[in-house]
Amino acid sequence: MEQLSVGEDLFATLAVVGLFILFIATLAHSYYLFTERRNAYESFDLTLDIAEYIKNHVLADSPGSIDLTMNKLENCSKLLVQEGIELRVEVRTLGGDVLLAYGPEQNQLGGYLSPPCSVSLPLAVMRGQGSAQLCELVVWARRR
Amino acid sequence: MDEQGIGYITDMLIFALLISFASLLLVGASPIDPKIESTRYAASFAQSTLLAFQHSTSDEFGGFEYHLDTLSSGLNTSVLKESTKRALHHKTLTQLLVEDALFNLHIEAEGVELKTLSPSWGMKSELREFLQGILDKLIGGRFGYHLIVKSLPLDLGFVRIHFESEIKNFDDGAQRKLCSETIVATLPISHEELTRRTQKMLGTALELEPDIATEITLELWS
């Protein structure tokens, strides 16, 4: 049986190992980029789902309008925390005034590995006597 | 270097080639089509906008009022001016959009569009500016938009008539339509008022249906 000759040729061995490490590193980096992009999409998708759910079910008064009630939002947030999702919700006027804010500040919510994703949707806030104000619902969500 | 060593290097180069190919596939591959994501968000945004417009009243934006252009004969006194003022603070933005469409009557006879004289009510241009300002504030900067308000055509035998207006704001770079969402509203004026308006514009009385549906379509562009 013929003996292996790798040990006899040091240059060949080093070249083989070097190439192997280099290309495995490239593959790992490519996979990292791929998963990072996938996580960003999934995070945006999740935040949009949550924003739609809050607008259409949690705070909904009638389709397109909401009541500024904090209790339902608290319950919803508790359920999401159990699922490992942190949340911040703001209702802002088009002028930028905050009418309702719930959850930790955006900068506290932010993490190095999984930064929060935000989505804003227009809605009307009922003000009584048939009057409603055009506002924006802004939701930040982050998986812990 | 002996032959077996060269053989190993050749094997590794082929292996490296395969890994490079796999890496390229991974870098190029997108887990989710970004177009689908942006379309989904745009559709949700457009739908929310149209629904919110059904509730939001104009008084939240400083209200809207106009003067009827009936004072062309120099009797421009403040008392008369006050009497021709119409305040539409209580109207929702959807109602104002439909009212805007009512100023644009389209008449089609045998497939040919006839030109009609626009009424001289002072409301028309002011209303358009008012609505465009709100849309710019809400949508502008995020998407380009094209809002079309159109009543279903009424076939009167010899002519077809419909009301239609549009407000749009496209950036020069807007290339792709992301979504198109539509809601249906009824005309916010009485049947008698509508008959009177069309009679004024056409110069002849028409038998109109009591409830004319109006489609409000919001297209968002990227």
Side-chain angles (χ1 to χ4, degrees):
Chain A
M1 191 177 149
E2 196 180 341
Q3 283 192 331
L4 287 174
S5 59
V6 176
E8 294 168 9
D9 194 334
L10 190 60
F11 176 75
T13 310
L14 286 176
V16 164
V17 172
L19 275 173
F20 184 78
I21 289 169
L22 180 70
F23 286 102
I24 288 293
T26 309
L27 190 65
H29 183 66
S30 303
Y31 184 70
Y32 168 75
L33 290 177
F34 176 81
T35 50
E36 200 176 47
R37 209 163 42 215
R38 188 185 59 197
N39 289 344
Y41 285 130
E42 281 178 356
S43 181
F44 180 77
D45 216 33
L46 175 78
T47 312
L48 184 56
D49 283 341
I50 292 170
E52 283 180 340
Y53 182 73
I54 288 172
K55 184 176 82 72
N56 298 330
H57 297 97
V58 178
L59 296 175
D61 177 63
S62 60
S65 71
I66 62 160
D67 269 335
L68 293 177
T69 47
M70 201 71 102
N71 293 346
K72 288 178 184 174
L73 203 55
E74 279 173 9
N75 294 338
C76 173
S77 178
K78 278 175 193 167
L79 284 172
L80 288 171
V81 166
Q82 285 172 4
E83 299 289 324
I85 299 166
E86 280 183 305
L87 191 68
R88 177 169 175 81
V89 179
E90 283 184 10
V91 176
R92 291 181 189 162
T93 64
L94 295 189
D97 300 327
V98 178
L99 300 180
L100 176 143
Y102 178 81
E105 286 288 334
Q106 188 196 344
N107 52 4
Q108 291 171 2
L109 200 65
Y112 177 72
L113 291 174
S114 56
C117 192
S118 77
V119 162
S120 68
L121 292 174
L123 43 74
V125 175
M126 301 309 288
R127 310 198 96 179
Q129 297 173 339
S131 172
Q133 186 174 13
L134 192 58
C135 293
E136 270 190 322
L137 172 76
V138 190
V139 174
W140 288 269
R142 183 178 79 92
R143 272 195 188 280
R144 281 184 295 178
Chain B
M1 194 183 292
D2 77 15
E3 282 177 11
Q4 213 159 6
I6 292 169
Y8 279 127
I9 290 179
T10 313
D11 288 348
M12 282 314 294
L13 283 173
I14 291 167
F15 177 66
L17 202 70
L18 287 173
I19 288 188
S20 302
F21 184 65
S23 302
L24 277 174
L25 281 179
L26 270 175
V27 168
S30 186
I32 301 163
D33 187 356
K35 284 180 186 170
I36 294 172
E37 279 303 292
S38 56
T39 301
R40 197 191 148 208
Y41 175 56
S44 182
F45 194 92
Q47 203 176 53
S48 301
T49 303
L50 291 174
L51 288 173
F53 272 23
Q54 288 187 314
H55 301 280
S56 306
T57 42
S58 70
D59 58 351
E60 296 295 337
F61 298 94
F64 180 74
E65 56 187 35
Y66 70 101
H67 292 270
L68 290 166
D69 285 352
T70 53
L71 303 170
S72 54
S73 59
L75 296 168
N76 205 356
T77 62
S78 59
V79 178
L80 276 174
K81 229 178 179 179
E82 203 56 34
S83 68
T84 59
K85 190 168 82 176
R86 276 192 73 194
L88 302 179
H89 302 296
H90 60 287
K91 293 221 173 188
T92 64
L93 298 177
T94 300
Q95 287 174 328
L96 290 180
L97 283 169
V98 179
E99 287 223 1
D100 183 45
L102 281 174
F103 288 106
N104 293 284
L105 175 67
H106 293 254
I107 305 166
E108 209 178 284
E110 294 175 354
V112 180
E113 179 121 352
L114 304 174
K115 282 191 176 176
T116 53
L117 289 172
S118 293
S120 62
W121 300 315
M123 177 185 179
K124 190 179 171 184
S125 59
E126 291 169 36
L127 179 57
R128 184 67 59 86
E129 279 170 26
F130 179 75
L131 292 169
Q132 179 140 24
I134 295 167
L135 284 165
D136 284 347
K137 216 176 211 178
L138 189 66
I139 306 173
R142 288 194 181 102
F143 304 102
Y145 66 83
H146 186 192
L147 188 111
I148 307 147
V149 186
K150 188 177 183 179
S151 71
L152 297 178
L154 295 168
D155 202 338
L156 302 169
F158 59 105
V159 288
R160 280 159 63 91
I161 66 166
H162 72 273
F163 299 95
E164 184 177 348
S165 72
E166 59 176 8
I167 304 173
K168 58 182 172 183
N169 185 358
F170 281 168
D171 290 337
D172 293 334
Q175 290 170 343
R176 193 167 67 92
K177 186 163 82 174
L178 293 170
C179 69
S180 177
E181 293 290 322
T182 302
I183 58 164
V184 178
T186 51
L187 293 178
I189 59 170
S190 66
H191 183 238
E192 291 76 21
E193 170 79 4
L194 181 64
T195 309
R196 197 178 58 75
R197 284 193 187 188
T198 46
Q199 190 175 350
K200 195 173 178 182
M201 282 187 249
L202 286 171
T204 177
L206 295 173
E207 282 294 321
L208 298 174
E209 288 172 29
D211 291 312
I212 301 174
T214 308
E215 286 181 347
I216 303 174
T217 303
L218 179 59
E219 293 174 359
L220 295 182
W221 292 65
S222 68

